[in-house]
Amino acid sequence: MNWYLIWIVGFLLLLFAVSLRSSKTVKTADDYAMADFKLGFFPICGSIIATVTGSAALIGGAGKGFEMGISYFVTVISFVLFTIVGMLVLGPVIRKLRLFTVPELFARRFGKLSALIPALIIGFLYMTPTFGMQLVGMSSILSSITDLPFFWGIVLGFAVTLVFTLIGGMPSVAWTDAIQTIVILAGVVLTLVMGIAYVGGPGVVAAATPQHLVSFGSIGFTELLNWFLIFGPFYLVWQTTWQRLTAAKSTKVGVSAVVIGFIISGVIGLLAIVIGITAVQAFPAGTAPDAIYTSFIAEIFPGSIGGLLMVSLLAALLTGATSFLLSGAINISKDIYEGWINPQAKDAQILKVSRLSVGFMAVLGLVVALLVKDIIAIYQIALAFTASALVAPVLAAMFWERATKAGVIVSTIGALVASLAWRLAGTPFGIHEIAPGLVASAVLLVVVSLATKHSDDETVIAYYHAFRRGRLTSDKVPAEGQVASAAEALLAEADSAPDAAAPRDSASTTFDSKPRG
């Protein structure tokens, strides 16, 4: 009896049932993309955990633990630290703005032209390859436990993910993620405990593991800094976090769910690394890192239990794929279609384009999946280039009123050019390309902004400071061509400031902003 196949088929049937149930709530584009802003703590927290602990965290984390040891934990410290600080400081502001996507912040603050490049970066440079990365991971699992060829494993993963996402959108994704979180956490803990027992117990692991694998600084300061920068800054602008926060039924629920979700994700990430270190006792040094996690499960468990653990891994990959697919599709439907092609689009049109975008993104991801060879390598590139281009402009929108549209556009393009040039030059001094990218972005933003004036379609405001002063009085999008001053904003909203929980109106007026000196 093929227990692996029985567990996987049973689990997929359960998820389809949940997905179909959730799909009944989808009536509008807001329902599809944001669950009508009514998600509670459990689905948000679970969705964060399930999405963070995808192939990079489990397959990649175990592989890096096998290769690098505990030093790889610096990545976990980095993304958890940056996210917690970012959410505690900026979470309430993001929630107040009701942002569907990160580029939407660019459009509101700096005009819609400034949002086009971020939309393309997130949708195609990050979401597409990371979706493809999950398909590769799913195929690796399926091909290791069945006779299914690797190519058809990718195709099957593509089909299942596409159907899940098309059926129910955010309600389906969030609730299936929450269910999968339980399976993921149980699977990682059981694999670690039984794995340690399999190789002889904690004493054997402690005594036989090479010293460099248990020494945090064994890879050197430069490499620690590289890994810290690759993962940390990116999570300040991780669109998945922003969307989950916005979809929450309240600011308190959203921020607490995201923070706790990342803390638990950090624990799971650490466990995956320790699994990789433990596996050193079971596999020869030349074993492919990306095969460590699945091979360890197959080695130590009978099919009846191993099938459940394979399901936990498949769950992590599936949930990451659905989240990345939905998020990237929203970039197309909201930032590109509604922002540029049809600004007056009706809700039914946006919902239709959202679903068509899911299919389009899925096909692109499928193409990438068929070309991907190294999971962690492609993830590094996606994180590095996205963070380099977007972190400084996002912080400027939040904290620096003097930032201009020209400064942001030059900063975004300049960061990509600097990162690419540094990579093509062979990463001089051993410094990863994200570092020069972040520096170039910040310098260009400041220099060009100070040398240029605000354009007519900007909203001149520092959102964080406006929020802290109680002057961020609306979640509506500023009218195009308007540079908001305090007097203009107050006049526009004096008669009709909406309730914070009201649905968004993407064609409405403005934000309250600080008057220019």
Side-chain angles (χ1 to χ4, degrees):
M1 182 179 295
N2 191 330
W3 280 101
Y4 291 101
L5 196 57
I6 290 173
W7 277 113
I8 289 174
V9 170
F11 186 70
L12 291 178
L13 289 175
L14 172 62
L15 293 185
F16 267 117
V18 174
S19 186
L20 287 170
R21 175 67 180 84
S22 301
S23 69
K24 295 179 180 179
T25 66
V26 176
K27 301 288 192 300
T28 67
D30 282 357
D31 291 339
Y32 187 77
M34 289 295 178
D36 200 28
F37 312 103
K38 293 178 181 177
L39 287 180
F41 179 90
F42 180 61
I44 293 176
C45 184
S47 184
I48 286 292
I49 296 168
T51 305
V52 172
T53 54
S55 60
L58 295 181
I59 295 178
K64 287 300 179 183
F66 186 80
E67 279 187 317
M68 293 172 50
I70 199 63
S71 294
Y72 192 67
F73 186 56
V74 70
T75 63
V76 177
I77 295 173
S78 181
F79 76 71
V80 172
L81 178 62
F82 270 86
T83 300
I84 290 177
V85 173
M87 282 298 100
L88 293 179
V89 175
L90 299 179
V93 186
I94 294 170
R95 165 69 187 180
K96 181 70 175 180
L97 295 176
R98 293 260 176 153
L99 297 170
F100 276 70
T101 66
V102 173
E104 192 174 1
L105 175 68
F106 284 69
R108 296 187 191 187
R109 171 61 180 86
F110 302 109
K112 71 177 186 179
L113 179 60
S114 68
L116 183 58
I117 296 175
L120 294 174
I121 290 172
I122 295 176
F124 298 103
L125 182 59
Y126 175 70
M127 294 298 176
T128 299
T130 47
F131 168 69
M133 183 175 71
Q134 309 305 312
L135 297 183
V136 171
M138 282 189 274
S139 180
S140 297
I141 296 172
L142 293 172
S143 61
S144 68
I145 62 177
T146 69
D147 295 328
L148 191 67
F150 190 77
F151 171 83
W152 289 110
I154 289 178
V155 173
L156 179 59
F158 158 81
V160 170
T161 305
L162 178 60
V163 171
F164 271 136
T165 313
L166 284 175
I167 288 176
M170 180 65 81
S172 173
V173 169
W175 278 106
T176 54
D177 282 0
I179 293 172
Q180 291 171 97
T181 294
I182 299 172
V183 182
I184 292 167
L185 184 56
V188 172
V189 171
L190 189 57
T191 300
L192 177 60
V193 172
M194 296 301 293
I196 292 175
Y198 177 79
V199 300
V204 171
V205 174
T209 300
Q211 184 60 34
H212 73 277
L213 294 181
V214 293
S215 175
F216 182 74
S218 63
I219 61 175
F221 175 77
T222 300
E223 275 301 292
L224 284 174
L225 178 62
N226 284 341
W227 284 108
F228 186 82
L229 291 178
I230 290 168
F231 279 80
F234 168 80
Y235 279 89
L236 291 176
V237 295
W238 194 36
Q239 186 166 277
T240 300
T241 303
W242 289 33
Q243 289 174 338
R244 300 303 187 272
L245 177 62
T246 298
K249 62 183 179 182
S250 70
T251 300
K252 181 178 180 180
V253 167
V255 171
S256 60
V258 169
V259 168
I260 293 175
F262 267 88
I263 292 173
I264 296 174
S265 298
V267 172
I268 294 175
L270 173 60
L271 296 181
I273 294 169
V274 177
I275 288 172
I277 295 174
T278 304
V280 170
Q281 312 306 319
F283 300 99
T287 305
D290 286 348
I292 290 297
Y293 194 86
T294 54
S295 297
F296 206 26
I297 290 176
E299 179 80 15
I300 62 181
F301 292 104
S304 56
I305 300 176
L308 177 60
L309 300 183
M310 285 295 186
V311 162
S312 74
L313 180 55
L314 190 65
L317 303 179
L318 178 60
T319 191
T322 55
S323 294
F324 295 134
L325 186 55
L326 180 63
S327 189
I330 294 174
N331 284 120
I332 297 176
S333 63
K334 299 294 293 184
D335 300 320
I336 297 177
Y337 176 73
E338 188 179 7
W340 283 86
I341 300 174
N342 188 5
Q344 305 303 319
K346 298 184 181 299
D347 186 84
Q349 292 173 295
I350 297 173
L351 178 58
K352 180 180 179 180
V353 172
S354 295
R355 286 190 160 121
L356 290 173
S357 300
V358 165
F360 177 67
M361 292 290 295
V363 172
L364 288 181
L366 174 62
V367 173
V368 171
L370 295 174
L371 303 175
V372 167
K373 301 297 181 184
D374 187 331
I375 287 177
I376 289 295
I378 191 171
Y379 196 55
Q380 284 184 55
I381 293 172
L383 264 61
F385 279 75
T386 304
S388 296
L390 302 186
V391 168
V394 165
L395 294 179
M398 292 292 183
F399 296 105
W400 194 37
E401 186 179 278
R402 184 63 185 83
T404 67
K405 176 180 180 178
V408 164
I409 293 175
V410 172
S411 168
T412 303
I413 297 173
L416 293 175
V417 172
S419 295
L420 180 60
W422 194 267
R423 186 174 183 85
L424 293 176
T427 59
F429 315 110
I431 297 175
H432 194 274
E433 61 266 18
I434 190 173
L438 288 170
V439 172
S441 177
V443 171
L444 288 171
L445 176 60
V446 172
V447 171
V448 176
S449 291
L450 292 177
T452 57
K453 296 181 179 180
H454 293 291
S455 60
D456 291 338
D457 60 347
E458 285 187 53
T459 300
V460 184
I461 187 173
Y463 288 118
Y464 174 79
H465 298 305
F467 176 80
R468 294 284 293 176
R469 294 167 185 158
R471 300 167 73 174
L472 195 59
T473 56
S474 173
D475 60 5
K476 296 178 179 180
V477 177
E480 187 174 347
Q482 177 181 13
V483 178
S485 68
E488 291 169 338
L490 291 172
L491 287 172
E493 298 187 4
D495 297 326
S496 58
D499 182 78
R504 298 169 71 256
D505 178 1
S506 61
S508 197
T509 54
T510 188
F511 290 100
D512 184 10
S513 61
K514 181 179 177 181
R516 290 177 291 164

